[in-house]
Structures are given as C-alpha cells and as structure tokens.
Amino acid sequence: MENRTQTIEELNDILERNYDSVAGYEKAAENVKNSRLKNYLTREMIARKEFIKELAAEVLNLGGTPKSSGTIEGTFHRAWIDFKSAMSFENDESVLEACITGEAFCLKEYSDLLEEKHLPESTRRLLSKQKEDINVSLRTLEIKEERIDE
C-alpha cells in the first residue's frame, strides 16, 4: 500500500509540472512574434493537456485524487518568460530559451521517477511515452533556437 501511495504522490508531482507546462507554453505562444513558432508552441500546449488527462486517469486508477493545478515555481517561471520577453530585443529566442529550460527540468523529473523500482507497469509505460515526447519537444525547441541564431 505504501508503494501505491508513493506512486500517487509522485504522479501528482509530475501532474503539477504538466499544468506548469501548459501554462508555460500558453504564455510562450503569447510572447512570440513568429506565427509558425506560435503554432508550434500552441500544439505543445495541447499535447501537455493530453498528458494531464492521461496522468489524472492513472492517478484515479491507482485510487488517488489527481491534483488540479501547477506549482509556485511554474508561476515564477512564467513571470521570468514575461520579464525576458520585455527586456529582450530577440523576443522569440529568449522565449525559446525559457521553454528549453522548462523542458529540460521536466525531462529530468520524468527520468528520476522512472528510476523508481516500485512503479506499476502501466505507470512506467505512460511515463516512458510522455518522457520520449518531451525529449522530442526539447530537441525540436533546441533546433528552433539554433535557427534563430543563424
């Protein structure tokens, strides 16, 4: 039972981070000028909303109550995106840098959780799939940021 409770708590932590990601991508999309980049960031926001649905369902399947909002750190990160955007002449690049920072942090949290031995197989599969999607997103953001530098 303790493993189940621990898994629920850890999934809720990941769930909070995904709420932060949704809000972060939404804020990022508001702050970029390039319409293609805005569309990409909006698609990532929608993908994270799907992550939230999947994670919440997994928490419920384990007998827990899913959290329904993000973290205070996420609020600060979005404020940082706004600040960097306001102070930067290269608005899109600074927003991408903030997104990269957020994705790298999220990826680390998924990696750390996947190292846990007590995870049920359904949870492990879900987290592995989402981690791979985040990894792809991180690589894509890095490529987009490099192109702005060129």
Side-chain angles (χ1 to χ4, degrees):
M1 186 62 156
E2 185 173 324
N3 282 347
R4 183 176 299 257
T5 301
Q6 182 179 357
T7 299
I8 290 167
E9 287 175 13
E10 291 166 337
L11 280 173
N12 269 320
D13 289 345
I14 294 288
L15 191 55
E16 284 181 319
R17 289 295 172 208
N18 277 283
Y19 281 112
D20 291 344
S21 292
V22 166
Y25 274 120
E26 182 176 37
K27 182 61 71 178
E30 291 170 5
N31 282 292
V32 295
K33 293 179 177 99
N34 181 291
S35 62
R36 290 176 66 194
L37 184 54
K38 184 180 293 284
N39 289 337
Y40 173 77
L41 295 170
T42 301
R43 285 191 309 273
E44 286 300 307
M45 177 191 67
I46 292 167
R48 293 312 157 82
K49 285 181 178 181
E50 189 61 32
F51 282 15
I52 288 169
K53 288 179 191 174
E54 294 170 347
L55 289 164
E58 187 69 11
V59 169
L60 287 170
N61 287 339
L62 293 170
T65 302
K67 289 193 177 175
S68 59
S69 65
T71 63
I72 190 71
E73 292 91 355
T75 302
F76 288 134
H77 186 69
R78 288 186 297 283
W80 179 244
I81 290 173
D82 282 344
F83 174 75
K84 283 189 78 173
S85 297
M87 301 304 290
S88 176
F89 288 68
E90 298 178 75
N91 186 12
D92 290 1
E93 184 176 6
S94 65
V95 170
L96 282 172
E97 288 170 358
C99 289
I100 289 167
T101 299
E103 288 295 71
F105 184 76
C106 197
L107 193 61
K108 181 180 179 342
E109 286 197 332
Y110 271 79
S111 294
D112 289 348
L113 183 50
L114 282 165
E115 288 179 11
E116 298 291 330
K117 304 292 185 221
H118 63 81
L119 295 177
E121 190 54 37
S122 62
T123 302
R124 189 171 300 285
R125 278 192 308 272
L126 174 62
L127 292 173
S128 294
K129 179 201 163 295
Q130 289 184 355
K131 178 186 171 197
E132 182 54 35
D133 290 348
I134 294 167
N135 198 28
V136 169
S137 177
L138 177 59
R139 288 193 311 261
T140 301
L141 288 165
E142 289 169 341
I143 290 167
K144 289 180 180 302
E145 195 264 339
E146 287 172 11
R147 288 184 181 153
I148 288 175
D149 282 343
E150 294 174 351

